[in-house]
Amino acid sequence: MAEPASDNTDPTAEPVLEEGEAADEGQASGPAPVSADANPAGPHPEGEATRSVEESEVGAAAEGETDSTADRTPAPSPADRPSGAYASVHADTNHGTQIGQWFEAVQRHSGAPLPPEAVERDLADYVSIENEVELSQLLEDNRTLVLFADHPGSGCWTAALHLLTTRHGEALTLRRIRREPGDSFSTEGLKGHKRTGWILDLRATEESIPTSCDFGLELMQGDDLRDDDSYLVVVLRTGLWNRIGHGAGELARRPHPPTPDTLFIKYLSSAGIADPKQWADDHRIKEKLAGLRPGQVRDWAQTLLRAESDYRTSTGRSTEAGSDGFNAAIEAANKAVSGWTDVLTSWHSKDGRTSYDRNYLLLAAVYDGEPVDNVNDKILSLARALGEKNDVSTRLTGQQGPGLIQLAHQIDAELRPDGTLRFPGPGFAEAVVRYFLLDRPELIDKFIRWTAQLCVGLAASKAERLAERLAPWILHHAQAARSTRTLLVVATNWSADSSLDRHAHALLVTAALDPEIGQLTRNATSSWIEKDNAPLLKTLAHVFQSVTPAHPEQMLRRLGDLAGSLDQRVQIDAERKAGVAEAVGAAVDALWGDDGLRPLLRKTLNTWFASDQKGQQQAAASAFMHLALQRDDTGLPVLLSGSEDSIPDWVIRGWRTSLEAEEPTSLTRRACAAWLDAAVARPDAADLISSTLVRAVHETLSDHLRGLRFLNLVRLAEHWVSREAGPDKEDGRRFHATLMRNVRDADPHGIPSRSEGEPASE
């Protein structure tokens, strides 16, 4: 496995940083062990779709399958990209799925088993590549196969999945190997995982394996894979392979995708289109398909399907071969695939076109699906945001200007009875925004920031819909500009809004995992944690939690930096600082369920406990109290499970740090009550629990904070014992008395307590 997961990067390929974005400190540190069993952590946004950020490929066609190179080449401009989705989310056509896609991306990056339902979905329309028999035999003979993915939409990911899911015998457990860019690789890390299908994905833009690791020779060591009855498929670009694949050339092949018309017919057939061959044979489609890569063919098919559906829905007429509907659908699909460029260019260049007209079209596209009267209310605000001051930027009053019907007609749209617009075909609204971003690059930042702020002022449901639409535009802009400034501005605005904070979180997670700007975003967060903005910092804590399974050391370091930075946040009051520390603690608590991450989390907490930064100590205490609340099936605190008579040192340190707060937090009160309840319910564990708390107070003899710890434990125990009467009330009082006696007796400077019945000394 990748000498798994450090934050190391190739020293010859430094990340591109913009001004004000610090690179990671300590990236030269050695790699740390990482389990391939790591499970994703962090909440799954409720009700959101979970398509992979890596872009689910269907059959041999990848919708914008991301291509990588070891060379740090500039990101292609939007004009140079394929006509379909080019971001790591399905961004050109929004079906409300973008924000939830990060969850599966974390799963894939973390090395967790790929969910069978996700694999089944990716392979739903799979069409065999032409040299699949050869590749299958090569994989069977050598247990390792290398596939070249030199272009977006090459279909290598689905080809790898299909080759691994069609091995003879019991179904393989499929895993993507988790690794940090620049890590070495050793098959030693794969040993012991029986009947596993590994995918080593080296397509990311910043990917670079050191030549010193003898990558090619590593791949030739197939004995361990054979012993485990496992397989390995590597996906990478030819340029990277030429540098690191020496000695293993016999394992590498280029997949030969099926013909475009075969793929096209498959997609139409799967969607239920009658007689799909009639569509594929039409000369207007056939000439477009020739030479397209699989991902672009899939885009074409999906666009035609939407055009055909839109026509039937709006007219109620059929689209059988040779009919007006057939021709209309093909014409609309042609325009959509080309990005509606000719249509929009003609519209913008029409004589007499005013700035108001252009802003109306742009806002109607942004508000796609909303009543058009909302558009008119916001045009003046947009004009001002874009720096316009003349009269033609605003709507004429009274009957002087065009009405809604005329305005709709002017933008080739139809005004529906419910006040919304029907645009002329699929992808038109997205094409309008994309046209603006290409046509007015100097206004991109102003437009996106204005639109992000527009979300904040809307009702919750409308704000969320607009945020869904805006997210891919922001990502596209960040990719093209190689800058994260707009990401930061938008995330700051949205984090402060209860309806949008989860969208801020999902946007940043998606960016942090994006194959083009992922490393740039992760690096940028090192400076973002210095911001005096509590809502943003809480969102960042949640982001670091979500990305940790994919990049454990880097993200846990970010959590620590975030906690430590609270000491310097003079603009944030104590209550909000505590809220940020609580968010960091909750992040660690959420990650604790991952067995592969737990040793690293313990190490991290120990570092925070020993820190001289109050913020880190506070965050560590919060995290520890969350963990202290967890109980096993027997009712014993999980932190003591299996301890018997031995108490882990780090558990003592956790309680000690928590008791050194100026005043116990509500979370500490709850955790202490849970432990004292467990002592009453489990008499066999009472001595262990009592000993833990007593040692936390007194074990460091020279500590000047012993008195504060003693006082806080007394407060906590008094709060617990003074609760309303219950069936265990008397047992609770007896344990409380025992605990107080034990803690006083352990004080090296105190007077021992007298036992019951013993007369007081004179």
Side-chain angles (χ1 to χ4, degrees):
M1 172 178 281
E3 256 171 19
S6 70
D7 295 318
N8 297 340
T9 54
D10 184 351
T12 66
E14 295 180 0
V16 180
L17 298 180
E18 59 186 3
E19 183 179 353
E21 295 183 356
D24 275 343
E25 296 292 41
Q27 284 199 356
S29 60
V34 166
S35 168
D37 296 313
N39 291 319
H44 180 190
E46 183 178 353
E48 292 175 346
T50 57
R51 289 187 73 183
S52 167
V53 173
E54 291 197 0
E55 302 189 83
S56 169
E57 300 170 6
V58 178
E63 183 179 343
E65 175 184 347
T66 302
D67 204 24
S68 76
T69 176
D71 298 321
R72 193 164 297 284
T73 54
S77 67
D80 295 331
R81 299 196 185 260
S83 60
Y86 63 81
S88 58
V89 291
H90 307 288
D92 285 344
T93 303
N94 187 336
H95 298 292
T97 62
Q98 288 92 344
I99 295 301
Q101 292 173 14
W102 60 266
F103 185 77
E104 280 189 8
V106 172
Q107 282 189 301
R108 290 193 181 190
H109 282 77
S110 73
L114 301 182
E117 61 273 14
V119 175
E120 183 179 353
R121 185 180 63 243
D122 285 354
L123 295 175
D125 291 325
Y126 181 77
V127 178
S128 294
I129 53 180
E130 293 181 353
N131 55 340
E132 184 170 299
V133 173
E134 176 197 3
L135 299 185
S136 180
Q137 190 61 52
L138 191 64
L139 178 60
E140 192 63 43
D141 293 343
N142 298 280
R143 296 290 166 146
T144 301
L145 176 67
V146 177
L147 299 179
F148 294 135
D150 281 333
H151 301 287
S154 65
C156 280
W157 178 264
T158 23
L161 290 179
H162 190 260
L163 286 167
L164 292 172
T165 55
T166 52
R167 296 299 90 202
H168 296 299
E170 182 184 349
L172 299 174
T173 298
L174 302 188
R175 298 175 184 268
R176 168 177 165 158
I177 297 173
R178 188 189 64 72
R179 61 186 308 281
E180 298 287 349
D183 276 356
S184 295
F185 172 81
S186 171
T187 55
E188 184 72 20
L190 309 183
K191 288 178 61 175
H193 291 271
K194 302 296 183 182
R195 198 67 186 156
T196 300
W198 299 99
I199 300 178
L200 178 58
D201 191 343
L202 302 177
R203 297 174 297 170
T205 303
E206 67 269 23
E207 189 57 74
S208 178
I209 288 184
T211 55
S212 59
C213 82
D214 293 327
F215 182 74
L217 295 178
E218 282 289 336
L219 297 184
M220 295 298 294
Q221 308 302 316
D223 291 343
D224 289 337
L225 288 169
R226 197 176 305 280
D227 291 343
D228 290 330
D229 199 14
S230 295
Y231 300 84
L232 168 64
V233 178
V234 182
V235 183
L236 81 177
R237 288 190 64 164
T238 308
L240 179 59
W241 177 251
N242 289 339
R243 288 203 299 277
I244 65 174
H246 303 297
E250 64 191 72
L251 301 178
R253 294 291 188 276
R254 187 177 305 279
H256 299 158
T259 61
D261 58 332
T262 300
L263 284 173
F264 193 75
I265 291 172
K266 173 68 173 181
Y267 296 137
L268 296 188
S269 177
S270 296
I273 289 288
D275 200 0
K277 195 171 186 306
Q278 289 280 356
W279 296 88
D281 287 343
D282 187 275
H283 68 280
R284 291 163 294 182
I285 292 179
K286 204 172 188 66
E287 65 183 15
K288 293 290 193 308
L289 294 180
L292 291 185
R293 293 189 290 272
Q296 295 168 313
V297 174
R298 182 174 188 262
D299 287 339
W300 229 112
Q302 290 184 330
T303 303
L304 179 63
L305 288 168
R306 289 194 294 272
E308 191 268 349
S309 176
D310 287 351
Y311 180 85
R312 285 189 291 102
T313 301
S314 60
T315 66
R317 302 179 206 165
S318 74
T319 56
E320 62 185 17
S323 67
D324 290 343
F326 182 87
N327 294 325
I330 291 177
E331 183 180 352
N334 263 314
K335 292 176 180 178
V337 169
S338 68
W340 296 93
T341 304
D342 292 342
V343 173
L344 291 171
T345 300
S346 298
W347 186 90
H348 278 84
S349 60
K350 184 177 180 179
D351 291 342
R353 187 67 68 207
T354 67
S355 181
Y356 178 85
D357 296 337
R358 295 188 179 93
N359 286 339
Y360 182 84
L361 175 63
L362 181 60
L363 266 180
V366 169
Y367 268 107
D368 187 22
E370 293 295 325
V372 292
D373 53 352
N374 291 338
V375 176
N376 298 304
D377 295 338
K378 294 295 182 182
I379 286 184
L380 178 58
S381 172
L382 175 60
R384 288 172 176 166
L386 300 181
E388 299 174 0
K389 298 179 181 178
N390 53 44
D391 293 339
V392 295
S393 300
T394 58
R395 186 182 186 188
L396 298 174
T397 58
Q399 293 257 27
Q400 300 176 79
L404 295 181
I405 296 176
Q406 184 179 347
L407 284 168
H409 179 73
Q410 286 179 357
I411 61 173
D412 296 328
E414 175 189 346
L415 182 64
R416 293 168 171 165
D418 62 0
T420 62
L421 294 175
R422 175 184 285 121
F423 288 115
F428 185 82
E430 281 74 19
V432 170
V433 177
R434 189 165 55 247
Y435 186 98
F436 168 80
L437 298 178
L438 290 172
D439 194 44
R440 308 282 179 173
E442 73 280 5
L443 299 178
I444 292 176
D445 277 341
K446 293 179 178 179
F447 168 71
I448 289 183
R449 294 181 187 211
W450 179 86
T451 313
Q453 186 59 41
L454 177 64
C455 296
V456 176
L458 295 175
S461 59
K462 294 181 179 179
E464 294 198 37
R465 283 198 297 271
L466 183 54
E468 284 273 3
R469 293 179 56 73
L470 184 58
W473 304 336
I474 298 168
L475 289 169
H476 285 186
H477 175 50
Q479 289 170 333
R482 298 293 295 171
S483 168
T484 60
R485 288 191 180 93
T486 303
L487 283 173
L488 174 59
V489 171
V490 174
T492 301
N493 285 339
W494 288 0
S495 293
D497 187 283
S498 59
S499 299
L500 298 170
D501 54 353
R502 72 189 184 100
H503 292 270
H505 161 251
L507 174 66
L508 294 184
V509 172
T510 303
L513 295 173
D514 183 85
E516 291 189 34
I517 59 168
Q519 183 167 313
L520 182 67
T521 302
R522 297 192 300 273
N523 287 340
T525 58
S526 66
S527 62
W528 295 356
I529 61 178
E530 300 300 324
K531 304 297 181 184
D532 286 318
N533 186 295
L536 174 64
L537 297 181
K538 291 174 73 171
T539 294
L540 287 176
H542 194 188
V543 170
F544 298 154
Q545 168 203 327
S546 298
V547 184
T548 290
H551 301 279
E553 291 193 343
Q554 188 180 37
M555 292 298 100
L556 289 178
R557 186 164 63 248
R558 287 288 185 270
L559 278 172
D561 292 344
L562 172 55
S565 73
L566 293 177
D567 294 350
Q568 289 77 45
R569 303 278 67 80
V570 296
Q571 302 299 323
I572 303 178
D573 59 39
E575 183 178 352
R576 291 195 172 193
K577 285 184 183 179
V580 177
E582 164 70 10
V584 175
V588 175
D589 178 53
L591 294 167
W592 190 257
D594 188 327
D595 293 339
L597 290 175
R598 198 169 294 163
L600 187 56
L601 290 170
R602 276 197 297 266
K603 178 182 176 182
T604 299
L605 286 178
N606 272 322
T607 301
W608 294 0
F609 290 147
S611 172
D612 57 1
Q613 295 177 319
K614 186 176 179 181
Q616 273 194 343
Q617 293 180 6
Q618 189 176 13
S622 174
F624 182 81
M625 289 297 99
H626 275 291
L627 299 178
L629 281 168
Q630 299 182 20
R631 299 198 205 185
D632 63 20
D633 295 338
T634 69
L636 187 69
V638 295
L639 296 181
L640 294 178
S641 295
S643 297
E644 298 178 353
D645 296 328
S646 175
I647 306 167
D649 289 341
W650 78 276
V651 174
I652 303 294
R653 281 193 290 273
W655 273 110
R656 181 185 306 129
T657 304
S658 302
L659 293 173
E660 288 175 354
E662 294 179 6
E663 185 175 337
T665 65
S666 60
L667 181 61
T668 305
R669 284 195 293 270
R670 287 169 50 211
C672 187
W675 278 49
L676 300 183
D677 285 341
V680 173
R682 289 279 309 271
D684 58 313
D687 288 344
L688 190 63
I689 291 172
S690 175
S691 177
T692 301
L693 298 174
V694 170
R695 288 178 59 188
V697 171
H698 291 305
E699 195 161 81
T700 51
L701 300 181
S702 61
D703 195 337
H704 66 284
L705 293 175
R706 183 187 298 109
L708 178 59
R709 294 196 296 269
F710 177 83
L711 176 61
N712 278 335
L713 181 58
V714 170
R715 289 171 173 171
L716 293 168
E718 289 291 344
H719 180 269
W720 171 73
V721 80
S722 64
R723 296 178 304 178
E724 295 182 6
D728 299 325
K729 186 69 173 179
E730 289 305 316
D731 291 338
R733 286 177 176 171
R734 281 192 291 271
F735 180 75
H736 174 263
T738 300
L739 176 63
M740 292 298 97
R741 182 172 60 252
N742 290 345
V743 77
R744 285 193 297 270
D745 289 346
D747 186 348
H749 304 299
I751 300 175
S753 307
R754 59 190 177 90
S755 303
E756 288 187 31
E758 180 182 336
S761 59
E762 297 181 0

